[in-house]
Amino acid sequence: MGPGGDTVPDSGFEVVGHAEQRALLRTLNARALLFTGPERVGRRRTARWYAALLNCRQPERAPCGACSSCRLAAQGLHPDYREVSPAATTREGRSSRKPELRIAQLVPREGDAPDDALSRWLEAQPRFAVRVGLIDQAETLTTGAANAFLKMLEEPPGHARIVLVAPSPGAVLPTIASRCAVLRFGTVTPETFKPGALEHPNARLGRYGELRGAEAEPDAFAERLALVDGYLRALEQGLESALEAADGLEQRW
């Protein structure tokens, strides 16, 4: 990587595009940040890049991709980076049709394991330099969880940063958005894709995450396209066929 370079080939924190956002993150002092924009454009990968930047042991060319911290980040094993996502199951253990971020995921309560809650994890001393906690789909925060986490959001420890990911500032509670520095992410411009990538239909969306998924599963796009075609044909064959095809489509997605 060249000095000040922003991508590490094949790393877990490679970022395509968003040069302005990354340049801002190099100088930004905020401890709570809200990354907004469409799905699959690189908000989470930028958060991983940011954590690598803050913890890199070679500040003059961070993230270098070669130091012990960057190597752990590239493998997705960094001890000072943690992501919290909405619970996929209900409190009773059933599959949840409306995933939500709950109080116990963010703030410890009596009877919970001490290190399960994000706030407790953020308070612990980092192994390297800075602990970075990412709250994914912050728009699913319950009101109780948001209110319980406000104090941590207002005054994170000096060695911690909090990144929330949501579609827009308006998608989260005003009390949450007002306490964060907002970075807006748009779709990735086609010229930032590597040669040959534009041949894939997902590239036209400007959502590089879709393209990465297609590269990881070369047959996935064709499979999904066949499912959609099958569903469209089933619509002409009656309700039973349509419902069966729709069920298969939903399960694959």
Side-chain angles (χ1 to χ4, degrees):
M1 181 194 303
D6 291 317
T7 63
V8 179
D10 301 320
S11 79
F13 55 87
E14 176 188 6
V15 178
V16 173
H18 310 308
E20 291 181 10
Q21 289 84 351
R22 283 180 280 136
L24 183 58
L25 286 169
R26 288 187 180 278
T27 59
L28 199 60
N29 249 349
R31 294 184 190 173
L33 304 103
L34 176 59
F35 288 6
T36 66
E39 276 294 323
R40 311 283 285 182
V41 297
R43 295 167 300 168
R44 297 168 189 84
R45 293 192 74 84
T46 302
R48 294 167 196 146
W49 172 90
Y50 182 49
L53 169 74
L54 293 173
N55 286 292
C56 181
R57 297 198 151 184
Q58 300 190 53
E60 69 282 356
R61 56 194 187 101
C64 70
C67 70
S68 56
S69 175
C70 284
R71 289 198 302 271
L72 286 168
Q75 297 169 48
L77 300 173
H78 204 287
D80 296 324
Y81 179 77
R82 180 174 174 182
E83 296 185 1
V84 176
S85 302
T89 58
T90 65
R91 291 178 180 84
E92 293 75 29
R94 301 191 198 93
S95 179
S96 176
R97 287 195 170 271
K98 186 183 178 184
E100 57 185 19
L101 285 156
R102 301 177 188 143
I103 294 177
Q105 293 176 267
L106 304 180
V107 179
R109 297 189 299 181
E110 189 176 351
D112 292 336
D115 295 327
D116 280 354
L118 181 64
S119 61
R120 186 67 58 85
W121 180 85
L122 288 167
E123 288 168 352
Q125 287 297 315
R127 174 177 163 185
F128 288 93
V130 180
R131 290 214 142 180
V132 179
L134 180 140
I135 300 176
D136 198 10
Q137 299 177 56
E139 70 277 11
T140 68
L141 277 165
T142 65
T143 302
N147 290 337
F149 195 67
L150 279 183
K151 183 173 173 55
M152 174 59 70
L153 202 59
E154 285 179 338
E155 300 176 4
H159 61 256
R161 301 291 183 274
I162 302 169
V163 179
L164 295 89
V165 173
S168 69
V172 299
L173 292 170
T175 51
I176 295 291
S178 65
R179 287 164 171 78
C180 299
V182 179
L183 269 71
R184 291 176 170 81
F185 289 74
T187 53
V188 182
T189 54
E191 57 266 23
T192 59
F193 289 1
K194 64 185 181 182
L198 286 175
E199 297 173 7
H200 197 283
N202 283 337
R204 300 173 193 169
L205 299 174
R207 303 197 303 184
Y208 189 69
E210 298 282 4
L211 197 59
R212 289 186 62 86
E215 289 173 345
E217 302 178 81
D219 298 327
F221 180 76
E223 178 191 351
R224 292 170 187 168
L225 190 61
L227 281 169
V228 172
D229 285 342
Y231 171 67
L232 293 174
R233 288 195 301 272
L235 288 176
E236 301 174 355
Q237 298 169 7
L239 182 60
E240 187 176 347
S241 296
L243 289 173
E244 185 178 341
D247 185 57
L249 192 60
E250 181 184 22
Q251 287 181 24
R252 181 60 183 89
W253 241 263

